[in-house]
Amino acid sequence: MSAHKIIIAIDGFSSCGKSTLAKELAAKLGYNYIDSGAMYRAITLYFLRNQVDFNDHSAILNAIACINLSFIFNEQTQKSDIYLNEEDVEPYIRDMIISEQVSTVAAIREVRSFAVAQQKRMGRKKAIVMDGRDIGTTVFPDAELKIFMTADPEVRVMRRFKEMYATNPQTTIEEVRHNLELRDYIDSTREESPLHQADDAILLNNSNLTKEEQLEIVLEWVKDRATNVTILNP
Ligand code: CDP
């Protein structure tokens, strides 16, 4: 009997470990992992580089028409890197300058329609784990497994601070805290697909869980929903 492939949607607040879980889950299942946040970050990079006025409707539409986003698997990191018009922009999209603007850009209706249409196409063949803010509510409302992740705010701040400090020692805990609070606020209060837990999503608070523990819990949820699951590299 062939394996039954499913769609796994992971949503939640900033920096609560969605991408770590999604990446490990995809590796265990042999699924594709798509970081939808990277798409909004790459669009923001394009807007900043080209000085697109966030309030100018036609400038936004013209800019979007010039954007081509693709994901290419990176053997070294074992995750897909995002390319903006054939350029690997992974090295730039996590900078604070992008984090400061991304939620404003991601709240623009035209930007969301563009990104969501591409995300939906990526899920046509199933066997995908996608993380973001509206994956279980808007992108894949019929996903077989929906997870809403959360963690204590201070745990999230320290996780993101350590990540950012490793590449930029100028980073301060205060600026990271401010950025996470601001993004969570904009993401959950915007008009277009605000961040909220889908009715059928399972809540996962990982404040006190190790990466291994959370993966083990979620793999059980997958086994409940997909028949004949093969776990790779057990
Ligand atoms: O920093 P973190 O990894 O938590 O965020 P991200 O997944 O890289 O997403 C960056 C930003 O993109 C979020 O704060 C949202 O404003 C936006 N986003 C969104 O609106 N919808 C998604 N599906 C994914 C991200």
Side-chain angles (χ1 to χ4, degrees), residues 11-19 35-41 44 93-94 99 102-107 112 116 119 130-135 139 160 163 179-180 183-184 186-187 190 192-193:
D11 290 303
F13 294 103
S14 301
S15 205
C16 55
K18 299 183 297 292
S19 59
D35 170 3
S36 70
M39 298 173 69
Y40 293 99
R41 287 175 176 274
T44 304
I93 60 167
R94 324 259 163 214
S99 298
V102 64
S103 290
T104 306
V105 172
R112 298 208 74 77
V116 169
Q119 290 154 6
M130 192 178 286
D131 77 332
R133 303 294 186 285
D134 61 340
I135 310 305
V139 180
R160 182 50 53 96
E163 247 171 51
N179 181 252
L180 294 192
R183 282 199 289 131
D184 285 348
I186 300 176
D187 294 346
R190 69 185 177 213
E192 292 293 316
S193 334

Side-chain angles (χ1 to χ4, degrees), residues 126-184:
K126 301 215 174 199
I128 189 167
V129 185
M130 192 178 286
D131 77 332
R133 303 294 186 285
D134 61 340
I135 310 305
T137 50
T138 304
V139 180
F140 300 130
D142 299 326
E144 288 83 353
L145 175 58
K146 298 181 188 177
I147 301 167
F148 191 85
M149 282 179 77
T150 179
D152 294 344
E154 268 322 286
V155 171
R156 299 197 276 123
V157 169
M158 289 316 291
R159 282 180 188 157
R160 182 50 53 96
F161 171 69
K162 281 183 198 151
E163 247 171 51
M164 295 198 66
Y165 187 84
T167 51
N168 178 9
Q170 311 285 331
T171 311
T172 67
I173 295 179
E174 249 337 291
E175 75 177 325
V176 171
R177 180 178 296 117
H178 173 73
N179 181 252
L180 294 192
E181 283 172 359
L182 183 68
R183 282 199 289 131
D184 285 348

Side-chain angles (χ1 to χ4, degrees), residues 118-129:
Q118 185 165 349
Q119 290 154 6
K120 283 180 184 281
R121 284 197 296 275
M122 292 189 274
R124 275 198 199 133
K125 291 189 180 151
K126 301 215 174 199
I128 189 167
V129 185

Side-chain angles (χ1 to χ4, degrees), residues 214-225:
Q214 73 176 9
L215 183 62
E216 211 173 301
I217 293 170
V218 175
L219 281 172
E220 287 307 312
W221 294 343
V222 174
K223 286 182 206 157
D224 287 344
R225 284 159 181 82

